Amino acid sequence: MKIKLAIFGAGFWAKYQIAAWKEHQDVEIVAIYNRTREKAESLAKEFDIPSVYTSAEELLTQEKVDAIDVITDVSTHEQFVLLAAKYKVPVICQKPLAPDYETARRMVDACQNAGIPLFVHENWRWQTQLRELKKELDKNQIGKIFRADIVYANSFPVFENQPFLKELDKFILTDMGTHILDVTRFLLGEAESLYCQTAAVTPGIKGEDVADISIKMRSGVHCNVEISYASKLEHDTFPQVLVLIEGEQGSIQLSKDFVIKVTTPAGTTERKVDLPFYEWCIPQYALVQSSMVALNKQFLDFFQDNTKRVETTGDDNLKTLELVYKSYESADNNTLVSL
């Protein structure tokens, strides 16, 4: 069964998200909306999308679609999700879901009241090496876990192709923290409390580009999360996340270049994870962009059979957003915050 999809947005990431959808034969993109018609027409021509709109509501009244994929600026997410709820059309929304927790809660509630699913385009946990790392964890080879380090630190010039990020009052925790803290939950479960410190290092930016978060998980695991775009290192690993998880009987490490090492009383084994690659990916972003294909597959599976589970629901994403915005609260007040 082919799923008919409409795209909202024609910015930098829309092109790659559309390309990721095109990897699945059971998806047909029937329309695209963007407030600037020229941008929408350009993507429509490139990807053979038949209809272009400059009014989101007009699209929903004129087109019969199974879902919409919102790939716009975070400030517009609530507007489009509430519009989807009004017309009872299932909706996928780009991260971060909302600029604050209360707005995200309203969006989730509106979709629940309308009886439609709200999913979040949270692709980071769908990176192949992170899925493989989770499989190793689930084997329970290293005994009871007691601590973890999760690090995303590099000096990639992120502001060059996304200059608007310089103007955000809240930057790295909302832009990257949503990804990395979601990975933390994916690997280690839910959090009990956290303490966060932030810094703005890069000249000319409004928000923070460094955040260090110490989290106590409900399981008792102590986790350090480091997020930075100001780290000038000998080996820049953008956009990799490096992970070390320690248990009473050993450790599991995801090191640079996607090598997973498992140390137990029997010794250490290691393997390099092979990653998918698609011709439309930007080489520097390929790790991130290829994960969109796997993420979209779970959405597609649900739309074809609504008994299938989707991990990145709006309800689940609220738990990640609570970590993000409680981190700001902790940093602003220099206090430990309970969840």
Side-chain angles (χ1 to χ4, degrees):
M1 179 180 71
K2 276 216 170 187
I3 299 303
K4 292 187 175 181
L5 188 70
I7 301 294
F8 282 20
F12 174 77
W13 282 105
K15 174 177 179 177
Y16 303 102
Q17 205 148 311
I18 293 170
W21 279 116
K22 290 285 189 177
E23 292 293 329
H24 301 294
Q25 294 183 348
D26 289 343
V27 175
E28 180 184 1
I29 300 175
V30 299
I32 182 169
Y33 152 80
N34 195 67
R35 61 187 178 186
T36 305
R37 188 175 187 88
E38 183 180 357
K39 287 185 177 181
E41 287 179 339
S42 176
L43 282 184
K45 182 178 180 181
E46 181 175 356
F47 291 101
D48 195 27
I49 301 171
S51 299
V52 172
Y53 293 86
T54 55
S55 165
E57 189 155 18
E58 183 183 357
L59 185 155
L60 290 177
T61 59
Q62 297 298 316
E63 302 284 344
K64 183 173 178 57
V65 296
D66 296 298
I68 63 172
D69 192 356
V70 177
I71 320 169
T72 59
D73 181 80
V74 65
S75 64
T76 65
H77 288 178
E78 182 183 21
Q79 169 193 347
F80 295 133
V81 168
L82 295 186
L83 190 64
K86 175 182 175 181
Y87 287 93
K88 298 188 183 301
V89 178
V91 57
I92 304 163
C93 189
Q94 183 60 263
K95 52 64 60 182
L97 183 58
D100 56 72
Y101 184 86
E102 292 72 21
T103 301
R105 178 81 261 178
R106 286 198 301 271
M107 294 161 65
V108 170
D109 289 346
C111 290
Q112 288 177 345
N113 292 336
I116 62 166
L118 167 61
F119 301 137
V120 181
H121 206 282
E122 179 47 75
N123 59 298
W124 218 265
R125 65 164 68 191
W126 284 92
Q127 292 177 19
T128 305
Q129 80 282 8
L130 291 171
R131 305 301 287 192
E132 291 299 310
L133 178 65
K134 183 65 163 66
K135 289 178 184 177
E136 293 293 346
L137 275 177
D138 290 345
K139 293 177 184 177
N140 298 318
Q141 305 169 83
I142 62 172
K144 182 177 174 58
I145 298 168
F146 62 88
R147 71 178 299 273
D149 292 322
I150 299 176
V151 179
Y152 175 86
N154 57 75
S155 57
F156 185 75
V158 65
F159 304 110
E160 289 185 4
N161 57 23
Q162 299 180 82
F164 72 92
L165 294 174
K166 285 186 176 182
E167 303 302 317
L168 297 179
D169 293 323
K170 293 179 170 64
F171 167 45
I172 205 165
L173 279 168
T174 55
D175 184 59
M176 281 308 308
T178 48
H179 284 317
I180 308 307
L181 291 169
D182 186 75
V183 167
T184 302
R185 291 183 52 242
F186 171 62
L187 295 175
L188 300 172
E190 304 305 338
E192 179 178 302
S193 61
L194 62 81
Y195 176 75
C196 177
Q197 294 279 271
T198 63
V201 177
T202 301
I205 64 171
K206 290 184 177 180
E208 79 292 348
D209 57 356
V210 174
D212 295 300
I213 315 158
S214 178
I215 307 174
K216 182 179 179 182
M217 313 306 292
R218 291 182 190 171
S219 62
V221 174
H222 177 213
C223 181
N224 294 303
V225 178
E226 302 174 29
I227 313 170
S228 171
Y229 271 126
S231 300
K232 296 172 176 61
L233 307 171
E234 180 183 4
H235 301 290
D236 196 297
T237 56
F238 174 87
Q240 297 176 48
V241 180
L242 308 182
V243 181
L244 173 63
I245 298 174
E246 297 182 45
E248 293 175 350
Q249 302 298 320
S251 62
I252 300 177
Q253 183 176 16
L254 173 62
S255 58
K256 73 181 187 73
D257 300 326
F258 322 112
V259 174
I260 295 177
K261 298 180 182 181
V262 180
T263 297
T264 68
T268 298
T269 62
E270 67 174 70
R271 64 184 175 96
K272 184 170 182 175
V273 178
D274 294 325
L275 304 179
F277 180 80
Y278 303 95
E279 291 183 357
W280 46 266
C281 291
I282 301 173
Q284 287 177 304
Y285 281 106
L287 171 65
V288 176
Q289 291 169 342
S290 63
S291 68
M292 295 177 180
V293 179
L295 172 63
N296 288 349
K297 181 63 165 62
Q298 71 156 346
F299 298 145
L300 177 59
D301 287 346
F302 173 86
F303 292 132
Q304 292 179 320
D305 176 1
N306 62 16
T307 65
K308 299 288 188 180
R309 176 175 176 257
V310 173
E311 294 180 21
T312 57
T313 62
D315 218 26
D316 182 82
N317 195 250
L318 285 175
K319 299 172 186 177
T320 296
L321 290 179
E322 184 181 19
L323 288 176
V324 170
Y325 294 115
K326 289 294 187 181
S327 292
Y328 281 117
E329 179 184 330
S330 173
D332 289 344
N333 299 308
N334 194 29
T335 57
L336 180 73
V337 175
S338 295
L339 297 152

